[in-house]
């Protein structure tokens, strides 16, 4: 593997940060402290981390309803994320978006999305924008296996392909669309096979191996930046939790779950670091502790932040045009 | 002053901004060398090149979604749909994405994009190519909705639509593309400011799009009977120029609302409800609405004419409340 040691530490930090954020979100949701739905990314951390390790702040991502991991890996601030989950005024969306809709324009995060497959189209627009403005920015479009049955997937890959748009389509194949396993919702084993229909490379990697993801994503990002167009990158991974918190996930066979738990991406990377003397057990514990205190601070920030003032409900939609034009 | 068709005026509006701002671009089905299904973009491909006037595959969802992504990242896209009816294919991208982004993300992403939507009947295009979906669009917070009735309005409103930071739905009546009119002014017409197309004192006729012309014909007819009609064209459905409606009702105390939509659930009903709620004390008679029959738009010429509202219907409606 060609990843440098310092980068391995960063990969671990990112993955662990996502895991810690998600387990905390799980706990506060179970305690009834946050409203709405929460869809957790636990088990899929290597995908967002490996892919985003190649992105700059000015690159774009579109995300999904299971978006926390993408946003953290792209550099989102845990305090503002947590505050948004709590519906507080200090949240990324001032409490108007919630878990499923976090965005940060300054980091190129064009939003998590409550509609399965909607980000495909938006990613093509962002990629078109980069190409049109003649920058070398790229857009990464994250999506699940089930969203590849939506028309948006096909429309977007087709348009991105003919226009050579700098998008990397990253399929997080976690084997489930809500409760429906991949073998029940599509007749193919590898989503990447669909790349052939659009004349673009389709690559399948072990999505729980952060090095494999990073290596393949690096190639795809390089290809996009150099004007060669999109890639369909499929990362095989597994969703440890149910579709949403409150869904016990009883449709997932026990042996399947056990098998995937064995392949947990974070444990795998921790073992690798110990075996290769990159970090000792104690070094890892120190990193974990630092992350835990960052998460704790984020929760404290969220808890102490005020609720949005009610008049904010009519902000961020239109400006008062009529009064404005009458005054001219 | 210049004589221009409605279609040319829309093109001129787009071209003015494209000459000034390289971030403005046009894409849609056959808008390039072909010049657009109704010829509205004719010549733009030659002037601005294939980078800025782009043919897309027949994929309405990604046309609208692509505009969303482009607008969120610094461009000012103008997306053309061949017919407003095809909006149904891309409705998620419009309703759940374009209309929601600015609000749901707390205001830190805005979408300066225009979607051009040829609407309306009268050309025997039948039920899937003739609809008036104003009510669908105006119902969704986050969208602005423009519907010009003359070349002058089309040009001025297109400039404002491109300048706007919100997604603007630009409804064009397909039967008016060849209609000529004078264009005196090449500056933007602000969204939210209606226009009095004819002064009058007995009844206010509020009409949009092609119905403005039906209303004007009706007013000319009614004048022969000594009835003086004021014809108001809101020009933008959202924001709606309530002030103009109020001022007119203070004079006439009677309102007839004319829209080409199927009458049931149409935006004309919203205008009517607004007048009832806010200006009830100005009224001396019930509000009358004129709209299409509540059927899909039929193909046969005689049937289509029967279903769509026209000047005769407006005349009856006015007489009915006098």
């Amino acid at each position: 593997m060609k990843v440098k040691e310092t980068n391995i530490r960063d990969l671990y930090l990112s993955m662990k940060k996502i895991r810690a954020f998600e387990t905390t979100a799980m706990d506060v949701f179970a305690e009834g402290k946050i409203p709405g739905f929460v869809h957790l990314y636990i088990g899929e951390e290597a995908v967002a981390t490996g892919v985003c390790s190649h992105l700059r702040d000015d690159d774009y991502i579109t995300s999904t309803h299971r978006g926390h991991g993408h946003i953290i890996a792209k550099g989102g601030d845990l305090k503002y994320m947590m505050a948004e989950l709590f519906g507080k005024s200090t949240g990324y969306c001032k409490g108007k978006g919630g878990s499923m809709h976090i965005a940060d324009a300054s980091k190129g995060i064009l939003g998590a999305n409550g509609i399965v497959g909607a980000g495909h189209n938006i990613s093509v627009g962002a990629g078109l924008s980069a190409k049109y403005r003649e920058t070398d920015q790229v857009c990464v479009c994250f999506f699940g296996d089930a969203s590849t049955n939506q028309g948006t997937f096909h429309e977007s890959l087709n348009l991105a392909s003919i226009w050579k748009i700098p998008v990397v389509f990253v399929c997080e194949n976690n084997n489930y669309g809500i409760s429906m396993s991949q073998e029940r919702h599509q007749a193919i084993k590898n989503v990447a096979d669909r790349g052939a229909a659009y004349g673009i490379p389709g690559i399948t990697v072990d999505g729980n191996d952060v090095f494999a993801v990073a290596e393949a994503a690096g190639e795809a990002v390089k290809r996009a930046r150099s004007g060669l167009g999109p890639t369909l990158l499929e990362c095989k991974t597994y969703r440890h939790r149910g579709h949403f918190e409150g869904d016990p996930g009883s449709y997932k066979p026990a042996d399947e779950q056990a098998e995937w738990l064995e392949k947990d991406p974070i444990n795998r990377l921790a073992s690798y670091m110990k075996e290769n003397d990159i970090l000792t057990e104690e070094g890892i514990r120190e990193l974990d502790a630092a992350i835990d205190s960052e998460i704790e601070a984020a929760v404290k920030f969220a808890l102490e932040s005020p609720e949005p003032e009610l008049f904010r409900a009519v902000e961020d939609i239109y400006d008062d045009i009529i009064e404005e034009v009458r005054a001219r | 002053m210049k004589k221009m068709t409605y279609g040319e005026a829309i093109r001129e509006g787009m071209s003015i901004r494209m000459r000034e701002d390289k971030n403005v671009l046009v894409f849609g089905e056959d808008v390039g060398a072909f010049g657009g299904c109704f010829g509205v973009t004719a010549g733009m491909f030659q002037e601005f090149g294939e980078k800025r006037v782009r043919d897309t595959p027949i994929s309405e969802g990604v046309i609208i979604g692509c505009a969303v992504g482009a607008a969120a990242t610094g461009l000012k896209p103008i997306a053309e749909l061949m017919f407003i009816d095809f909006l149904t294919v891309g409705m998620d991208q419009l309703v759940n994405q374009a209309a929601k982004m600015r609000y749901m993300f707390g205001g830190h992403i805005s979408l300066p994009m225009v979607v051009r939507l040829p609407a309306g009947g009268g050309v025997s295009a039948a039920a899937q190519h003739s609809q008036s979906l104003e009510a669908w669009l105006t119902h969704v917070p986050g969208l602005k909705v423009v519907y010009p009735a003359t070349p002058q309005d089309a040009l001025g409103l297109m400039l404002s639509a491109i300048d706007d930071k919100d997604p603007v739905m630009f409804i064009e009546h397909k039967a008016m593309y060849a209609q000529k009119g004078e264009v005196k002014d090449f500056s933007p017409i602000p969204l939210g400011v209606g226009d009095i197309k004819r002064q009058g004192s007995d009844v206010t006729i509020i009409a949009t799009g092609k119905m403005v012309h039906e209303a004007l014909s009706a007013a000319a007819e009614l004048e022969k009977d000594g009835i003086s009609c004021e014809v108001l064209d809101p020009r933008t459905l959202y924001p709606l120029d309530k002030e103009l409606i109020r001022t007119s009702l203070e004079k006439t105390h009677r309102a007839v609302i004319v829209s080409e939509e199927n009458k049931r659930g149409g935006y004309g009903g919203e205008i009517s409800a607004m007048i009832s709620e806010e200006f009830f004390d100005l009224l001396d008679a019930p509000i009358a609405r004129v709209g299409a029959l509540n059927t899909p738009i039929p193909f046969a010429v005689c049937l289509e004419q029967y279903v769509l509202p026209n000047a005769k219907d407006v005349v009856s409606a006015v007489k009915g409340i006098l």
Side-chain angles (χ1 to χ4, degrees):
Chain A
M1 183 61 229
K2 298 157 208 157
V3 183
K4 285 187 202 143
E5 282 192 13
T6 47
N7 295 348
I8 292 174
R9 205 183 121 102
D10 289 343
L11 295 175
Y12 179 82
L13 259 174
S14 167
M15 285 165 63
K16 190 71 195 193
K17 205 182 265 195
I18 297 169
R19 177 70 56 94
F21 185 91
E22 295 296 65
T23 50
T24 303
M26 183 174 83
D27 293 342
V28 292
F29 182 81
E31 290 161 17
K33 286 183 182 158
I34 55 175
F37 296 106
V38 180
H39 305 80
L40 299 180
Y41 196 65
I42 296 173
E44 307 181 30
E45 296 88 348
V47 183
T49 297
V51 171
C52 290
S53 67
H54 296 283
L55 300 185
R56 311 185 303 240
D57 270 0
D58 69 341
D59 289 323
Y60 303 111
I61 64 164
T62 61
S63 174
T64 68
H65 59 282
R66 200 176 303 287
H68 304 160
H70 309 136
I71 293 156
I72 294 171
K74 188 66 172 61
D77 188 306
L78 302 188
K79 289 197 305 296
Y80 305 140
M81 288 179 67
M82 197 60 88
E84 190 56 38
L85 262 56
F86 278 75
K88 296 298 184 76
S89 63
T90 51
Y92 262 121
C93 312
K94 305 177 191 166
K96 289 192 280 203
S99 162
M100 270 190 285
H101 307 108
I102 297 174
D104 180 355
S106 72
K107 296 260 167 54
I109 300 164
L110 301 177
N113 208 311
I115 307 292
V116 170
H120 294 117
N121 288 343
I122 297 168
S123 72
V124 176
L128 168 67
S129 173
K131 187 182 170 92
Y132 185 92
R133 288 182 282 105
E134 294 173 11
T135 72
D136 68 344
Q137 292 162 287
V138 300
C139 183
V140 167
C141 174
F142 289 105
F143 54 93
D145 45 299
S147 86
T148 69
N149 301 327
Q150 292 275 25
T152 49
F153 172 82
H154 303 279
E155 291 181 277
S156 300
L157 265 68
N158 183 56
L159 185 60
S161 165
I162 59 168
W163 283 358
K164 292 206 183 315
I165 300 283
V167 181
V168 180
F169 294 98
V170 177
C171 177
E172 302 178 311
N173 185 347
N174 65 17
N175 199 34
Y176 284 94
I178 310 183
S179 69
M180 200 173 186
S181 64
Q182 192 204 357
E183 61 183 17
R184 291 176 62 226
H185 75 63
Q186 52 192 208
I188 51 172
K189 274 210 159 107
N190 293 330
V191 168
D193 291 352
R194 292 189 164 172
Y198 306 100
I200 65 172
I203 295 151
T204 302
V205 298
D206 178 351
N208 279 18
D209 176 353
V210 70
F211 298 143
V213 174
E215 193 173 340
E219 288 300 313
V221 167
K222 202 167 110 190
R223 185 179 141 82
R225 281 204 210 286
S226 58
L228 294 172
T231 300
L232 172 59
L233 172 60
E234 175 188 20
C235 306
K236 302 261 197 194
T237 182
Y238 196 71
R239 187 188 77 204
H240 286 193
R241 305 288 299 170
H243 172 62
F244 53 88
E245 285 310 281
D247 162 19
S250 45
Y251 44 83
K252 296 191 292 183
D255 54 343
E256 177 190 281
Q257 291 193 58
E259 188 188 319
W260 279 97
L261 275 173
E262 278 295 302
K263 294 191 277 188
D264 180 273
I266 296 179
N267 293 344
R268 271 167 79 175
L269 184 61
S271 306
Y272 177 90
M273 292 195 300
K274 283 182 269 181
E275 280 161 23
N276 291 276
D277 295 327
I278 295 164
L279 265 181
T280 59
E281 186 89 43
E282 200 191 329
I284 290 173
R285 267 203 303 275
E286 275 170 29
L287 278 188
D288 290 355
I291 290 165
D292 286 344
S293 60
E294 196 182 340
I295 301 281
E296 211 172 293
V299 173
K300 187 164 183 283
F301 174 79
L303 284 169
E304 288 172 359
S305 290
E307 303 273 342
E309 297 157 285
L310 296 183
F311 75 90
R312 304 281 178 200
V314 293
E315 270 189 351
D316 303 320
I317 179 146
Y318 310 126
D319 296 323
D320 210 342
I321 311 163
I322 298 182
E323 267 64 31
E324 205 176 280
V325 296
R326 289 274 172 222
R328 273 184 197 167
Chain B
M1 199 187 299
K2 215 174 160 184
K3 277 241 171 192
M4 247 183 226
T5 67
Y6 183 78
E8 285 165 351
I10 293 166
R11 180 193 313 147
E12 187 58 23
M14 293 191 283
S15 299
I16 289 171
R17 283 294 180 264
M18 286 182 74
R19 287 176 200 125
E20 295 166 348
D21 183 351
K22 63 176 175 16
N23 287 328
V24 182
L25 75 161
V26 172
F27 50 80
E29 292 154 14
D30 305 299
V31 298
F34 186 74
C37 150
F38 293 104
V40 175
T41 55
M44 293 179 73
F45 180 81
Q46 287 74 13
E47 180 175 355
F48 299 105
E50 63 182 339
K51 182 179 171 189
R52 301 185 68 194
V53 184
R54 309 173 76 102
D55 283 332
T56 63
I58 302 173
S59 304
E60 284 78 11
V62 78
I63 293 170
I64 301 170
C66 193
V68 171
T73 55
L75 301 187
K76 292 181 183 173
I78 303 169
E80 175 179 314
L81 295 195
M82 278 188 178
F83 290 83
I84 196 172
D85 314 69
F86 305 165
L87 193 58
T88 54
V89 182
M91 209 58 169
D92 167 60
Q93 295 295 314
L94 190 73
V95 174
N96 294 321
Q97 311 303 325
K100 303 293 188 285
M101 253 195 180
R102 180 174 162 198
Y103 185 80
M104 206 167 62
F105 295 161
H108 60 87
I109 291 181
S110 58
L111 297 180
M113 58 182 270
V114 179
V115 184
R116 292 187 38 233
L117 300 162
V123 296
S124 276
Q128 296 168 340
H129 292 71
S130 302
Q131 293 172 86
S132 294
L133 300 176
E134 291 90 303
W136 287 26
L137 298 171
T138 48
H139 182 66
V140 179
L143 303 178
K144 288 173 184 165
V145 186
V146 173
Y147 197 174
T150 65
Q152 174 68 78
D153 291 348
L155 192 152
L157 290 168
M158 177 53 81
L159 296 175
S160 288
I162 296 169
D163 295 343
D164 205 274
K165 72 175 177 184
D166 289 310
V168 179
M169 303 301 105
F170 201 88
I171 305 177
E172 305 166 6
H173 198 293
K174 64 174 77 73
M176 291 202 297
Y177 280 128
Q179 199 167 305
K180 278 197 171 177
E182 280 175 1
V183 176
K184 297 176 187 166
D185 192 348
F186 288 74
S187 53
I189 294 171
L191 306 188
V193 178
D195 186 38
I196 300 171
K197 291 286 194 272
R198 179 191 171 109
Q199 299 275 354
S201 55
D202 294 331
V203 61
T204 299
I205 306 176
I206 302 161
T208 49
K210 184 163 168 281
M211 290 300 115
V212 171
H213 304 284
E214 297 296 328
L216 288 169
S217 302
E221 191 62 35
L222 287 159
E223 195 180 25
K224 292 177 194 160
D225 296 334
I227 300 165
S228 166
C229 299
E230 180 141 299
V231 178
L232 292 194
D233 175 6
R235 298 195 291 202
T236 59
L237 306 185
Y238 189 85
L240 179 67
D241 193 345
K242 292 184 189 177
E243 210 33 45
L244 191 72
I245 295 172
R246 187 179 63 77
T247 315
S248 181
L249 290 178
E250 280 170 354
K251 192 163 58 172
T252 65
H253 307 289
R254 283 178 172 78
V256 173
I257 299 156
V258 190
S259 161
E260 197 178 313
E261 303 162 280
N262 294 121
K263 188 170 166 184
R264 184 179 66 229
Y267 185 63
E270 172 64 25
I271 298 178
S272 170
M274 184 279 291
I275 293 172
S276 300
E277 276 185 346
E278 299 182 33
F279 309 141
F280 187 72
D281 54 346
L282 295 176
L283 293 176
D284 285 345
I287 299 164
R289 277 190 296 150
V290 177
L293 300 184
N294 296 318
T295 65
I297 307 301
F299 168 71
V301 176
C302 64
L303 294 181
E304 184 178 33
Q305 283 177 359
Y306 178 70
V307 164
L308 292 176
N310 59 29
K312 242 174 77 185
D313 301 320
V314 181
V315 168
S316 313
V318 169
K319 287 186 172 165
I321 60 162
L322 275 173

